[in-house]
Amino acid sequence: KLKHFPCLSSGKGSVLISLSNSNLFNNVLGVEISKKLTAISEKNVKLKKSSNVNVLTCNATDTPLELISDSNFFFFYNPFPCDVFEKVFKKIELSLEKEKRQCVIMYFNPIYKNIIDNSISFNEKIVCKNILSNADTYIYFEGFDSDK
């Protein structure tokens, strides 16, 4: 099991609930800037009895570094404007500098993929097509031994 999954810009909580039910993560954390969406998400989580889910109301750029550092899997579905995405990604990079670990970023319909592609981290990636939307999904890897 992976330690934490932060869902940055978690909306109404459907991803949180799905991941909670998957039993892949010890804790699933939603980060949502909208108090209204946080309240809806918390209600949905409660209805589905997802016990390992917490929702934090804040800007994704203000997500505590400790939570980012405790996480090794990030999913993005174009949740932010470019400047916010860049700040969030830089926070992930900073966390990797402080604590080397394996890390995966799954980025659906990657409008700002150049931010990750131009970084010194995440040099390995896989590109997949979503069969329903025909949009690309990029899966970036950091800290994995590419020779094995």
Side-chain angles (χ1 to χ4, degrees):
K1 254 189 182 182
L2 301 171
K3 198 170 185 181
H4 296 290
F5 176 86
C7 182
L8 306 172
S9 190
S10 58
K12 296 178 184 178
S14 60
V15 170
L16 303 176
I17 293 164
S18 295
L19 289 170
S20 172
N21 294 337
S22 75
N23 292 317
L24 292 172
F25 301 94
N26 289 334
N27 296 300
V28 178
L29 172 70
V31 177
E32 177 54 58
I33 196 169
S34 164
K35 290 179 183 178
K36 181 179 178 180
L37 287 176
T38 297
I40 293 169
S41 180
E42 288 173 335
K43 180 182 172 188
N44 290 337
V45 165
K46 198 174 203 178
L47 283 170
K48 296 293 183 176
K49 298 180 178 150
S50 300
S51 61
N52 64 335
V53 175
N54 293 300
V55 185
L56 177 66
T57 304
C58 75
N59 188 314
T61 60
D62 297 328
T63 304
L65 187 59
E66 312 83 69
L67 293 174
I68 299 290
S69 296
D70 271 352
S71 306
N72 52 3
F73 186 91
F74 298 87
F75 174 78
F76 296 103
Y77 192 123
N78 286 322
F80 320 114
C82 184
D83 62 321
V84 174
F85 184 78
E86 187 167 30
K87 288 176 186 173
V88 169
F89 178 72
K90 293 295 180 196
K91 195 171 245 188
I92 294 169
E93 278 194 310
L94 177 63
S95 80
L96 288 167
E97 288 173 21
K98 290 184 175 220
E99 184 180 331
K100 299 283 184 208
R101 65 191 185 280
Q102 293 180 329
C103 190
V104 175
I105 293 177
M106 183 178 284
Y107 189 7
F108 181 79
N109 194 22
I111 293 173
Y112 309 120
K113 67 181 182 279
N114 62 308
I115 292 169
I116 303 174
D117 288 341
N118 294 331
S119 77
I120 59 170
S121 306
F122 298 96
N123 293 320
E124 296 182 50
K125 71 181 172 193
I126 297 171
V127 180
C128 311
K129 280 276 188 208
N130 182 304
I131 60 171
L132 298 176
S133 67
N134 203 35
D136 287 337
T137 299
Y138 280 48
I139 306 170
Y140 293 91
F141 300 92
E142 173 62 31
F144 292 86
D145 187 354
S146 61
D147 294 335
K148 293 185 179 180

